[in-house]
Amino acid sequence: MLSSCRRYADSHPHLVETAFLLLVLAVTSRQYVHGDLGWWAGQPLALAATAGLVPRRGHPRAAVLVTAVCAAVSVALAHLVFPLLLLPVLIALYELAVRAPQRTAYACYGLTLALVVPAALLFGRNDQPWVDESVGPVFWILLPVLAGTAVRSRRAYLDAVHTRAEHAERTREEEARHRVAEERIRIARELHDVVAHHMALANAQAATAAHLARTHPEQAQEILTHLTGTTGSALRELKATVGLLRRPDDADGADDLQPPPGLARLPELVSAFGSAGLLVTVTARGTRRALPPGADLTAFRIVQEALTNVTKHTDAATADVHLAYAHDRLTLTVTDDGGATPRPPGPGGGYGLIGMRERARTSGGRLSAGTLPEGGFAVTAELPAPPPPREQPS
């Protein structure tokens, strides 16, 4: 029943407004029965006060002024100061307090008191106590101001909560899209490193095997064996990388995934490039220690990508990998002799250099790359490395 009335009110707002004004007019005009001038003398004032409520939503200050003047005139004509006589001005003050700032509402409240209370004290009925003519209107007129201010504060609070909820929802969606984009970039970078490295290495090994097949068949057989290991390693790393895309509740095959590679697999990496004709020398300075998993993977991928670029872009025969362990940093440098074929120029490098820089920055480090004055190319990365634990005195 209540919902049906609400729907009818929403669909017929003009009829509801007319019925409301007629009710106010009936209640207000009823109060003029007790006046000294008779019932008919008060009807124009009741009608004027009710008409003053028509613009109360669009022009609440004008509504308060009209209804307050009508109330003051009614009181001056010796009508009893009752709350129902002041009903139009009370409604107008409530609408003003709901829509206008609090300072404006209280200013109009003071204006209404300045019109009604003096009129009641100077021209009021002699049989009505002065307390009812002065103190009573102060509280009656204050009630709609307080109620309207409370409603306005409540609406402002609900609007703020709704705005914050919308902002949180929008931020959550943007954060989710950002995380998805970051995850796609990370997986794409990992696939690029795995595929580019193994494909470049397999291509170099296959070319070497094809060259040796005619002159040194036994060496070609050894290169083909390394090629089989390279392709097998590529398949295993691709399986491990794609395994990251599994759902959290899909545990089947999770135990088969290999742990991410690190600097401990440098000898295997050096051996693979050696089979492709690139002699790689690894040197270390400082106290070697284990790195955090993320930094360890980053260091390995940077060395792997840098050596892959050597085989792809040059015909260099040698490359050097230097690891320098400081107190809280690891500086790794990969250099090559350049060979007879210079590296193609490029201001920002390809996706390989971009991926290496992103990896270093993600791990809290930095990377620089460029040609050497004496020829060749150098890639230098600085990565965080926690200091080794202090030995406890015995």
Side-chain angles (χ1 to χ4, degrees):
M1 181 65 179
L2 183 61
S3 60
S4 300
C5 294
R6 186 179 294 110
R7 286 196 299 268
Y8 182 83
D10 293 337
S11 58
H12 300 82
H14 298 293
L15 292 178
V16 174
E17 178 71 9
T18 302
F20 173 75
L21 293 177
L22 290 176
L23 178 62
V24 173
L25 177 61
V27 172
T28 305
S29 63
R30 180 69 178 171
Q31 306 309 307
Y32 291 99
V33 174
H34 305 286
D36 295 338
L37 302 179
W39 181 77
W40 287 102
Q43 298 314 300
L45 288 173
L47 183 61
T50 305
L53 293 177
V54 174
R56 67 187 184 278
R57 293 188 175 90
H59 304 280
R61 295 179 182 85
V64 170
L65 180 60
V66 172
T67 54
V69 170
C70 293
V73 173
S74 299
V75 172
L77 293 178
H79 291 96
L80 293 176
V81 185
F82 283 159
L84 294 180
L85 181 70
L86 302 175
L87 182 60
V89 72
L90 299 183
I91 295 174
L93 282 171
Y94 172 81
E95 293 288 347
L96 176 69
V98 169
R99 288 170 170 77
Q102 187 175 359
R103 180 180 301 178
T104 303
Y106 281 106
C108 291
Y109 164 72
L111 175 63
T112 304
L113 288 181
L115 292 174
V116 174
V117 174
L121 292 176
L122 295 176
F123 306 103
R125 295 168 59 100
N126 295 328
D127 59 345
Q128 189 174 13
W130 71 272
V131 175
D132 294 343
E133 295 177 343
S134 58
V135 180
V138 172
F139 290 99
W140 298 334
I141 298 175
L142 180 61
L143 288 179
V145 176
L146 296 177
T149 302
V151 171
R152 184 174 184 272
S153 300
R154 177 65 177 174
R155 289 179 181 177
Y157 170 75
L158 294 178
D159 290 342
V161 170
H162 183 67
T163 302
R164 287 197 299 268
E166 288 183 345
H167 177 72
E169 184 67 22
R170 185 168 58 253
T171 304
R172 182 162 57 248
E173 293 177 357
E174 293 176 356
E175 180 67 19
R177 288 194 296 268
H178 180 68
R179 289 183 179 275
V180 169
E182 283 187 342
E183 186 67 12
R184 290 176 60 187
I185 293 175
R186 187 183 69 83
I187 294 174
R189 184 170 59 233
E190 193 72 18
L191 288 174
H192 170 271
D193 291 348
V194 172
V195 174
H197 162 66
H198 288 94
M199 291 299 294
L201 191 59
N203 180 70
Q205 290 173 336
T208 303
H211 175 72
L212 295 176
R214 295 185 297 271
T215 57
H216 301 81
E218 65 285 354
Q219 295 183 9
Q221 182 63 36
E222 182 181 354
I223 297 297
L224 291 176
T225 302
H226 286 294
L227 177 60
T228 303
T230 299
T231 55
S233 177
L235 291 174
R236 287 192 299 272
E237 290 202 31
L238 280 175
K239 181 181 178 181
T241 303
V242 175
L244 297 176
L245 301 177
R246 287 180 177 270
R247 297 177 181 176
D249 56 350
D250 187 5
D252 296 338
D255 297 336
D256 298 335
L257 300 180
Q258 292 185 340
L263 291 179
R265 291 180 55 181
L266 271 184
E268 177 185 342
L269 186 67
V270 169
S271 175
F273 279 102
S275 65
L278 178 65
L279 179 61
V280 181
T281 303
V282 179
T283 58
R285 178 168 55 86
T287 304
R288 302 188 68 165
R289 55 188 181 272
L291 301 178
D296 198 20
L297 174 62
T298 297
F300 179 83
R301 291 300 189 202
I302 288 176
V303 174
Q304 182 187 60
E305 180 64 23
L307 294 178
T308 300
N309 287 341
V310 173
T311 60
K312 287 172 58 178
H313 301 299
T314 71
D315 57 357
T318 61
D320 296 321
V321 178
H322 182 69
L323 306 176
Y325 291 87
H327 174 68
D328 59 350
R329 308 290 290 180
L330 166 64
T331 303
L332 64 88
T333 306
V334 181
T335 59
D336 62 81
D337 58 11
T341 303
R343 185 183 297 260
Y351 289 110
L353 286 178
I354 294 175
M356 286 190 286
R357 287 194 178 93
E358 290 177 348
R359 283 185 179 278
R361 185 169 57 252
T362 303
S363 299
R366 58 182 180 179
L367 182 138
S368 60
T371 57
L372 299 173
E374 64 275 12
F377 198 82
V379 175
T380 302
E382 294 184 5
L383 302 174
R390 296 181 179 180
E391 296 182 358
Q392 299 293 335
S394 58

